Amino acid sequence: MTLAAVLIALHALFAAVWVGGLVFAYTVLRPSVDVMADQDRLPLLARIFRRWFIWIWHAAVIMPVTGLVALIVLYGGFAGAGVYIHIMHLLGWIMVAAFLALFFGPYPGFKRATADGEWTVARSKLTAMRRIILFNLVVAILTVAVGAGGRYV
């Protein structure tokens, strides 16, 4: 197996983890738990997010590293890459920035408020988190579309 194959495989696997996690969080988990009472739903979400963020942290590190190294190995750098690679690169950094905004923005307040049983505050932080997750999901879908189909445009 070549270095390029390993890089692309890791990049794709962690893209699946990240994008799949976003799809699951927004389209399956959110509507499923919205019917629960705050004192049950919010602690459950806090536990889920704690585990989910471990995976997203890995993806947020591994994907840029594998993408940049693959860019060098396969194309000799940005100059040799197609426009779609440049677009995918930009969108990937937007995803990382949105994740960091989520993790360091409303998430700590959500954890604190949930642990303290401050359901109103936790709900407002969760609303902010959902907006960022939706934004990241839209950018992620665009990134996957560009990455998968860009070379054929």
Side-chain angles (χ1 to χ4, degrees), residues 54-138:
I54 292 169
W55 284 97
I56 304 307
W57 267 112
H58 283 85
V61 171
I62 290 170
M63 290 188 65
V65 169
T66 58
L68 287 170
V69 175
L71 176 72
I72 293 164
V73 168
L74 293 171
Y75 303 104
F78 281 106
V83 172
Y84 78 98
I85 297 289
H86 293 260
I87 294 169
M88 185 172 50
H89 181 80
L90 173 64
L91 292 173
W93 283 116
I94 292 170
M95 287 179 63
V96 169
F99 164 66
L100 293 173
L102 173 65
F103 189 81
F104 293 110
Y107 178 60
F110 170 76
K111 282 193 315 186
R112 244 185 334 272
T114 299
D116 295 342
E118 297 174 2
W119 308 127
T120 303
V121 174
R123 267 194 320 273
S124 73
K125 297 296 183 181
L126 182 60
T127 298
M129 290 173 66
R130 285 178 173 169
R131 287 185 187 122
I132 297 170
I133 290 169
L134 176 59
F135 172 79
N136 212 336
L137 175 58
V138 170

Side-chain angles (χ1 to χ4, degrees), residues 29 33 36 38-51 110 114:
L29 179 64
V33 301
M36 298 171 66
D38 284 346
Q39 63 270 18
D40 298 323
R41 173 175 62 109
L42 297 171
L44 172 65
L45 288 172
R47 289 189 305 274
I48 289 168
F49 281 127
R50 185 179 71 240
R51 287 183 171 84
F110 170 76
T114 299

Side-chain angles (χ1 to χ4, degrees), residues 14-29:
F14 278 92
V17 166
W18 194 339
V19 179
L22 289 167
V23 169
F24 174 77
Y26 203 82
T27 65
V28 176
L29 179 64

